Amino acid sequence: MMADILSSDIKFLKGVGDARAALLEAELGISTFRDLVYSFPSRYVDRSKFYSIADLQGSELPALQIKGRFIKFYEDGEGERKRLIGVFTDGRLFMETVWFSKIKTIASIYKVNEEYVIFGRPSLYRGKYSIAHPEVERFDPTKPPCGLRGIYPLTEQLRKRGIGVRKFQELVGKLFELPGMDRVADPLPREIVERYGLMPFPEAVREMHLPSDQEKLAAAMRRMKFEELFYVELHILRFARSRGARTPGYVFPRIGDLFNGFYFRELPFELTGAQKRVLKEIRNDMRSGRQMNRLLQGDVGCGKTMVAFMSILMALDNGFQGAIMAPTEILAAQHYETISAWAGRLGIRVALLTGSTTAARRREIHADLLDGSLQILVGTHALIEENVRFRSLGLAVIDEQHRFGVAQRAKMWKKGVVPPHVLIMTATPIPRTLAMTVYGDLEVSVIDELPPGRKPVETFLRYDDNRMEVDRMIFSQLREGRQIYMVYPLIHENEKLSLKSLEEGRKRVEEVFSDWRICFVHGQMKPAEKDHQMELFVSGNAQIMVATTVIEVGVNVPNASVMVIENAERFGLSQLHQLRGRVGRGADKSYCVLMTHKNASGDTMKRLRIMTETNDGFLVSEADMKIRGPGDMEGTQQSGLAFNLKVASLARDGEILARARGAALEVLASNPGRLAPASRSEKTGGTLALSEESLVLTGYELARRFAHTVDWSEIS
Ligand code: ADP
Ligand code: MG
């Protein structure tokens, strides 16, 4: 291997030295040349031409430069709102530049009637353009225009201590002047670079920092995204494989009397095609000899509970027990009711175990689980307590997985010598690209079909001043005997405020709908009180439920036909979709009303409008991810996965991700031995395929570590 220039200490770069090296390390984690190479600009500006003020059009302008003179500076506003205005002209038209801080300094540095180049993003205010805090430079006719320039995300500390954008650019320039830089080793195998038509590494990193033009920059970007995603995928696949090979599972070869008896005689409805398909997938997993780890995604109301129950029957037919864990007591209770009704007809014993189960009852349950006379256990977190032991747990179903962390999953697995099969169910549909990555260690099944006869929930967007109209609609539904949900957002930063808005909402509802019984649920309530209030609604004794998002997951009240969501702009789209899923469960037409205020921003309205346009959870979820980025997606935060992607975006680069995954699969297939996990210690206990630590590495960090365990020259 040639001497690795990229591993050189950053202090040896010309213009750095000890003090700056310490600063770069502390602020940006840059300690080697390689770190600097991977510190890409966060955006680029086009300084290849001068704009004139007459060129400015529209409201979404990029940062740009204008040549001209200041004709005067003056201060405006008082106290907090004080600002400095510079009137700038390009010789033909005028515009304003504005500073909100450092007013004194700026007024003293810049002179009127001298030639400057100002640079910044013009924004439109009251029909006029202005630039806030522009970069200002003396115009220098001897300097050639510098084209595309990278802007780096630097910290306040760096700037204070002399490393601003320009200094940083200068350091990067010095780095790429070094003779070895166009010969550095490519972290991707040559074969992959060639086959996928990628820009070679030395050229790509140079273009990322010092782009020659838009086209080259785009190609460089593609290459770096590919590299990043390739390593993420390689990592995930590598661990997923070793888990697959490592973890034996119970073999359930039989479809027996319970399954068949239920299927042919007791099934209360015809299964949908999707339910049948998923049951087949689960059956194949459970007789394969490998432990099943399957994620079942399906929109609210698609019938996941039935799939869970019938999968448990497969375990029971083979002499094993089954468990279902739900995130809340109410949900666990609902599952218990549904499942014991079905199971009762087959003579199967089911029990419910939650935090409020009495000690005496617990002891019974514990004993019956151990001797095997209790076949199905339904419950909450209480299920994973140490003292809950099964004689032979064959299948554990976890409902609404985003409420459970990875750690709980692992606990479930520890319940036997051979881990039980695990089926995780979620109604938060995760777009394919994200699922492939986030749940790289899980197989994914999808129920993409609702039971027949479901009517989509009609969704409206209404402003506060349409409230009368909304009330009228509610009245007419109440008179027809329907029930209503009214949901208020939980304001995390300010729980007092959130309760206040909920209280006010309740007062109003009690006044307007005084003839009906109203129940009231919020997160700070004691569980017993909450359950009591929920029960009022579930049993139909209350017709209106005023609540915070505690009702989000899983409650099933088919008679409820209206969901009113207050301050809808405060919810994520996936969350709105979940809430909407509470209605439309019966035969009647249902409605969802999203309340927001008149002056909601354009983006907010765009987001909310998606809800009125589709009932498809996957479309909602994709749109949500595009808008918010996957970091915020429900289901990803708690899944324990936090890939800090530097250049790639799971939301936008699905295509590159798919190609990178393909390349990673090829590499694994062509050289499985070499790519086996480097050391056993990388694995966590249980059957979690990915170590917690490895999950927070970025693709590039993975690349760095991985480079030592693989010799690419041997692959081809
Ligand atoms: P989710 O997938 O949201 O958990 P559930 O399992 O609660 O959905 O099912 C929602 C409702 O649809 C339940 O009342 C259930 O009995 C009913 N259901 C499930 N599958 C079918 C089907 N194939 N045909 C008709 N109704 C069904
Ligand atoms: Mg459910």
Side-chain angles (χ1 to χ4, degrees):
M1 223 189 191
M2 74 185 104
D4 181 10
I5 178 172
L6 293 184
S7 299
S8 316
D9 193 318
I10 194 69
K11 72 181 177 197
F12 297 125
L13 182 64
K14 212 166 159 202
V16 179
D18 285 330
R20 281 191 173 140
L23 187 60
L24 285 169
E25 157 86 79
E27 293 298 307
L28 300 177
I30 297 177
S31 58
T32 63
F33 288 10
R34 178 178 286 105
D35 296 336
L36 185 57
V37 162
Y38 279 111
S39 300
F40 300 125
S42 53
R43 61 195 174 87
Y44 297 86
V45 296
D46 188 353
R47 303 198 78 162
S48 55
K49 72 170 266 195
F50 294 114
Y51 283 75
S52 59
I53 297 172
D55 290 336
L56 305 185
Q57 262 175 32
S59 60
E60 301 273 309
L61 285 166
L64 45 81
Q65 59 184 0
I66 303 172
K67 187 173 65 156
R69 301 158 193 272
F70 290 104
I71 56 167
K72 69 168 172 180
F73 289 97
Y74 64 94
E75 287 180 19
D76 195 22
E78 290 295 317
E80 290 265 289
R81 313 194 38 137
K82 191 148 108 185
R83 55 197 190 271
L84 179 72
I85 313 273
V87 180
F88 189 82
T89 178
D90 61 0
R92 299 175 55 205
L93 297 175
F94 298 89
M95 72 182 297
E96 288 184 349
T97 53
V98 191
W99 287 267
F100 299 97
S101 58
K102 302 208 184 112
I103 291 180
K104 287 266 150 355
T105 341
I106 285 170
S108 68
I109 300 179
Y110 303 136
K111 309 269 181 288
V112 294
N113 280 327
E114 307 226 346
E115 282 223 291
Y116 287 104
V117 176
I118 61 168
F119 175 83
R121 182 196 296 269
S123 56
L124 200 51
Y125 183 67
R126 298 203 174 137
K128 288 202 299 209
Y129 286 102
S130 65
I131 300 181
H133 290 255
E135 278 178 43
V136 180
E137 247 173 63
R138 277 295 176 93
F139 175 64
D140 179 354
T142 64
K143 224 170 90 181
C146 56
L148 275 175
R149 226 159 79 173
I151 302 296
Y152 295 86
L154 302 178
T155 66
E156 198 54 45
Q157 268 303 317
L158 282 168
R159 268 190 291 270
K160 253 195 227 154
R161 298 175 54 186
I163 306 185
V165 171
R166 224 162 297 165
K167 182 75 203 171
F168 200 85
Q169 285 167 340
E170 193 186 306
L171 295 178
V172 169
K174 287 267 184 306
L175 176 68
F176 283 98
E177 276 168 22
L178 295 175
M181 280 305 289
D182 47 10
R183 277 177 284 120
V184 289
D186 198 320
L188 285 178
R190 185 154 41 102
E191 223 203 34
I192 297 287
V193 173
E194 280 165 13
R195 184 129 37 97
Y196 287 84
L198 303 173
M199 187 182 267
F201 181 76
E203 187 186 352
V205 287
R206 180 183 295 273
E207 290 292 334
M208 288 294 285
H209 288 280
L210 310 164
S212 18
D213 56 45
Q214 291 285 3
E215 221 167 292
K216 285 251 172 65
L217 175 60
M221 202 85 97
R222 262 198 313 280
R223 139 84 210 210
M224 297 319 294
K225 286 176 176 180
F226 188 101
E227 178 182 327
E228 183 171 44
L229 294 170
F230 173 82
Y231 278 105
V232 167
E233 288 299 333
L234 194 57
H235 183 70
I236 286 173
L237 290 168
R238 195 171 66 133
F239 278 101
R241 294 235 163 152
S242 69
R243 178 184 63 76
R246 195 171 68 241
T247 312
Y250 295 121
V251 187
F252 299 164
R254 243 194 335 266
I255 286 291
D257 289 348
L258 292 175
F259 187 96
N260 283 331
F262 185 76
Y263 186 72
F264 291 110
R265 283 190 298 279
E266 306 291 349
L267 203 58
F269 36 68
E270 174 80 15
L271 294 180
T272 62
Q275 282 171 318
K276 285 185 193 157
R277 189 188 63 230
V278 169
L279 276 168
K280 265 190 211 127
E281 289 167 352
I282 291 170
R283 156 129 221 257
N284 284 336
D285 277 2
M286 295 202 301
R287 64 177 171 193
S288 72
R290 279 175 37 191
Q291 185 220 6
M292 172 174 80
N293 262 302
R294 189 168 279 281
L295 175 72
L296 173 54
Q297 295 189 4
D299 218 340
V300 279
C302 72
K304 294 186 289 293
T305 317
M306 180 53 87
V307 170
F309 176 68
M310 294 182 71
S311 305
I312 288 179
L313 290 184
M314 294 181 203
L316 264 50
D317 269 336
N318 288 275
F320 286 84
Q321 293 159 299
I324 297 194
M325 181 158 73
T328 64
E329 295 223 349
I330 287 281
L331 253 188
Q334 280 197 346
H335 275 326
Y336 173 69
E337 261 171 51
T338 312
I339 283 170
S340 40
W342 292 333
R345 285 181 244 166
L346 301 167
I348 298 170
R349 279 193 59 210
V350 187
L352 175 68
L353 179 70
T354 70
S356 41
T357 306
T358 62
R361 177 78 187 118
R362 257 166 213 264
R363 272 195 297 278
E364 269 171 37
I365 290 177
H366 289 171
D368 293 354
L369 276 179
L370 264 184
D371 71 22
S373 59
L374 182 59
Q375 291 138 298
I376 302 179
L377 184 62
V378 179
T380 54
H381 282 77
L383 247 68
I384 54 178
E385 280 161 19
E386 286 301 323
N387 53 9
V388 180
R389 282 190 218 99
F390 293 79
R391 190 177 68 116
S392 54
L393 179 60
L395 170 64
V397 179
I398 304 180
D399 197 13
E400 297 304 344
Q401 115 106 10
H402 62 285
R403 295 298 161 109
F404 291 108
V406 172
Q408 275 126 335
R409 255 213 276 165
K411 264 194 173 173
M412 220 45 209
W413 279 311
K414 289 202 183 102
K415 291 234 166 265
V417 185
V418 175
H421 296 296
V422 174
L423 179 66
I424 294 159
M425 309 200 293
T426 178
T428 305
I430 294 159
R432 234 178 79 80
T433 50
L434 191 57
M436 284 195 321
T437 299
V438 174
Y439 294 113
D441 67 327
L442 299 178
E443 302 294 324
V444 179
S445 287
V446 179
I447 301 186
D448 49 7
E449 185 183 351
L450 290 179
R454 289 283 164 79
K455 300 190 187 77
V457 179
E458 200 170 319
T459 306
F460 312 97
L461 193 52
R462 288 290 180 267
Y463 299 116
D464 292 332
D465 51 5
N466 304 131
R467 207 168 272 283
M468 300 274 277
E469 178 204 329
V470 175
D471 287 349
R472 269 200 300 277
M473 194 258 271
I474 294 172
F475 270 120
S476 85
Q477 289 289 306
L478 284 169
R479 275 192 220 105
E480 286 180 31
R482 304 280 101 80
Q483 287 165 283
I484 316 289
Y485 290 106
M486 294 186 185
V487 177
Y488 288 77
L490 196 71
I491 303 164
H492 288 294
E493 321 87 69
N494 192 336
E495 285 187 352
K496 266 205 193 119
L497 195 69
S498 129
L499 277 181
K500 188 168 150 260
S501 80
L502 184 66
E503 271 300 336
E504 280 168 5
R506 167 160 84 156
K507 283 219 190 75
R508 203 194 75 85
V509 173
E510 279 170 348
E511 273 162 31
V512 178
F513 302 98
S514 53
D515 292 347
W516 279 275
R517 180 135 184 219
I518 294 154
C519 62
F520 184 61
V521 185
H522 61 78
Q524 264 103 67
M525 261 175 178
K526 293 225 166 64
E529 175 60 11
K530 187 155 64 182
D531 283 356
H532 170 67
Q533 294 286 328
M534 288 275 209
E535 187 46 40
L536 284 175
F537 195 71
V538 172
S539 62
N541 284 318
Q543 292 79 46
I544 301 178
M545 175 189 276
V546 176
T548 54
T549 42
V550 287
I551 59 160
E552 190 182 327
V553 177
V555 205
N556 192 24
V557 181
N559 189 47
S561 64
V562 182
M563 166 67 65
V564 181
I565 304 173
E566 299 287 340
N567 293 110
E569 74 284 349
R570 288 184 173 270
F571 294 89
L573 285 188
S574 296
Q575 216 180 358
L576 289 174
H577 183 70
Q578 286 266 332
L579 284 169
R580 173 167 65 182
R582 296 309 103 210
V583 295
R585 307 197 138 216
D588 306 290
K589 175 126 193 70
S590 298
Y591 307 88
C592 174
V593 186
L594 307 175
M595 299 297 298
T596 188
H597 44 81
K598 256 249 152 78
N599 49 5
S601 74
D603 277 355
T604 299
M605 296 308 285
K606 199 163 104 193
R607 221 158 55 82
L608 294 179
R609 226 164 268 133
I610 292 168
M611 294 296 297
T612 66
E613 284 159 9
T614 181
N615 264 272
D616 182 328
F618 278 85
L619 292 182
V620 168
S621 176
E622 301 248 6
D624 201 18
M625 189 165 92
K626 289 221 168 85
I627 293 168
R628 295 201 293 166
D632 287 337
M633 289 278 298
E634 289 147 88
T636 61
Q637 273 159 338
Q638 282 129 315
S639 70
L641 182 122
F643 282 112
N644 294 309
L645 294 177
K646 271 190 168 170
V647 282
S649 144
L650 292 175
R652 282 181 294 274
D653 300 322
E655 218 170 292
I656 300 180
L657 176 62
R659 274 159 31 96
R661 186 180 175 87
L665 280 166
E666 278 170 36
V667 167
L668 276 177
S670 67
N671 206 325
R674 272 241 157 247
L675 297 170
S679 77
R680 296 234 135 215
S681 67
E682 273 181 89
K683 293 171 235 158
T684 54
T687 50
L688 281 180
L690 298 156
S691 74
E692 299 272 338
E693 185 224 8
S694 72
L695 290 174
V696 295
L697 297 179
T698 69
Y700 292 122
E701 281 167 328
L702 289 172
R704 209 172 308 162
R705 295 201 181 186
F706 217 51
H708 301 296
T709 63
V710 184
D711 184 352
W712 294 117
S713 60
E714 290 192 17
I715 298 171
S716 62

